[in-house]
Amino acid sequence: MHRYRRVKELGRGGFGAAILVTSKDDPKQQFVIKEVKINHMSRKEQDEARREVNFLKTLHHSNIVEFVDHFVDRGKLCIVMGYADGGDLK
């Protein structure tokens, strides 16, 4: 999280949380960090989470939120995605 400043939690699930953040370099840039608790996962589940990151890196489409970055912080896989303001998918 060294490049991002936490704004608020957007949601939480069984494997982690979605956090709204801003860039420390440019506070006007907003992103969502999907935190996935990997330290309690089996090796197979950890590998699946890493495969998800590799898959997200390959997606480039105007209707898909952009993948920005990923890192591991305190036992959590953090997937940084663009922030799509305007509600949820309900």
Side-chain angles (χ1 to χ4, degrees):
M1 293 282 285
H2 59 281
R3 294 187 306 249
Y4 304 98
R5 183 168 286 114
R6 178 183 290 259
V7 176
K8 66 179 180 178
E9 184 174 294
L10 298 173
R12 180 168 292 279
F15 283 102
I19 311 296
L20 177 63
V21 298
T22 58
S23 168
K24 287 185 179 177
D25 293 336
D26 181 2
K28 293 179 183 177
Q29 283 190 304
Q30 293 184 313
F31 303 100
V32 172
I33 294 182
K34 177 183 175 182
E35 293 181 337
V36 181
K37 296 182 274 187
I38 59 172
N39 57 345
H40 299 295
M41 291 180 167
S42 69
R43 174 52 102 196
K44 181 180 177 186
E45 290 170 323
Q46 289 180 23
D47 290 343
E48 288 172 2
R50 287 185 180 91
R51 275 196 296 279
E52 178 184 351
V53 168
N54 289 330
F55 178 70
L56 290 171
K57 287 180 187 180
T58 68
L59 299 177
H60 302 284
H61 191 278
S62 60
N63 294 334
I64 298 175
V65 177
E66 72 173 315
F67 171 87
V68 176
D69 191 13
H70 77 285
F71 55 91
V72 176
D73 181 44
R74 296 179 304 217
K76 297 176 188 169
L77 172 62
C78 298
I79 303 170
V80 185
M81 306 290 290
Y83 177 54
D85 193 12
D88 57 24
L89 299 176
K90 292 180 185 174

